[in-house]
Amino acid sequence: MKIEIRKDPGALAEAVAQELVRISHEQPAGGPRAAVALSGGSTPKRMYEVLARPPLLAQVAWDRLELFFGDERAVPMKHPDSNFGVAKRALFDKAPVRAHRMRAEADADLEYEALIKEHVVTLGAGALPCFELILLGVGSDGHTASLFPGTAALKERSRLVVMNEVPQLRTRRMTFTYPLLNAAKRIFVLVTGAEKKDLVRGCLNPNVKRPSAESWPILGVQPVSGKITFWLDEPAAEGLRIG
Ligand code: 6PG
């Protein structure tokens, strides 16, 4: 596990965007596209805006990436809450991307799972689809993607994408499950803001008593063989004891 700290959300967004440029060029030209799962949230949105303008817009090898979403709200694309809609307005309308929307408003989780199984490479017979990169945010309640505390999707161990009832928000969402998240080659967890510093310390400081993943779902994101990097701004990283 790696920790990267930057001064503020803008610097963090810039650094993560640069990583995406680098990852895109790691993929062989003309080969299969690398699967990248995007996230909702304020920090990823800043990153989309950075990628949508010079110089990075022309630096990303867009034709070597295939974009997905790790979760989505049960709303149409034009709704302000749509993760895809936010990314479309910030980036997709300005860059030659190939991106797949989750039709969460139609409960089309099986459809999206089939799309991933068709398009995302596995690392061997019977292996799970392996994303080159999955971007995640973390809510102050410890949720990530749309894996919220105490919700049914936390227990899912065979499906890769499910609809998840979220009573605390009186809604349902579509989300990747832990098996798919933890099969990824790289996971970037983006966390900004002083309001999350206790959560960050609880997740990352050594020798602290941590709640279960049932209470803090981000704690269940433990890639089987991939690498996880926490990208933090200084306010979120305050009080972190990095061993
Ligand atoms: C969503 C996101 C969600 C988000 C966190 C953090 O659909 O809301 O996928 O998991 O990443 O809520 O959001 P912020 O970075 O804006 O705090």
Side-chain angles (χ1 to χ4, degrees), residues 25-49:
H25 286 277
E26 273 180 6
Q27 316 310 317
R33 289 176 178 241
V36 172
L38 303 179
S39 165
S42 55
T43 308
K45 179 171 181 290
R46 283 174 181 269
M47 190 194 79
Y48 306 149
E49 291 161 350

Side-chain angles (χ1 to χ4, degrees), residues 39-44 71-73 83 136-139 143-146 148 173 190 192 195-196:
S39 165
S42 55
T43 308
D71 73 315
E72 186 56 278
R73 290 84 181 280
N83 288 337
L136 293 173
V138 185
H143 85 263
T144 191
S146 283
F148 283 82
R173 297 213 182 159
L190 282 56
T192 58
E195 71 278 8
K196 297 189 184 165

Side-chain angles (χ1 to χ4, degrees), residues 1-6 189 200 203-206 228-232 237 240-243:
M1 184 255 291
K2 238 175 107 181
I3 298 173
E4 291 278 356
I5 300 172
R6 296 296 186 277
V189 184
V200 167
C203 289
L204 300 179
N205 272 350
I228 186 166
T229 304
F230 280 80
W231 291 85
L232 312 171
L240 201 51
R241 294 194 314 276
I242 302 175

Side-chain angles (χ1 to χ4, degrees), residues 4 8-10 62 65 98 103 111 117 119-120 124 131-132 136 149 180 207 231:
E4 291 278 356
D8 55 34
W62 296 108
L65 299 177
R98 179 184 293 177
R103 293 188 318 116
E111 171 190 279
K117 287 179 176 174
H119 288 266
V120 182
F131 275 79
E132 186 71 32
L136 293 173
L180 184 57
N207 313 319
W231 291 85

Side-chain angles (χ1 to χ4, degrees), residues 128-182:
L128 295 177
C130 177
F131 275 79
E132 186 71 32
L133 170 63
I134 296 180
L135 285 179
L136 293 173
V138 185
S140 301
D141 62 353
H143 85 263
T144 191
S146 283
L147 297 171
F148 283 82
T151 58
L154 296 176
K155 296 182 176 57
E156 182 57 54
R157 293 295 178 271
S158 53
R159 293 285 308 285
L160 304 181
V161 180
V162 295
M163 292 306 297
N164 191 29
E165 289 299 332
V166 185
Q168 50 269 59
L169 298 178
R170 290 195 295 280
T171 187
R172 72 189 188 288
R173 297 213 182 159
M174 193 182 299
T175 187
F176 282 11
T177 59
Y178 283 134
L180 184 57
L181 291 172
N182 290 330

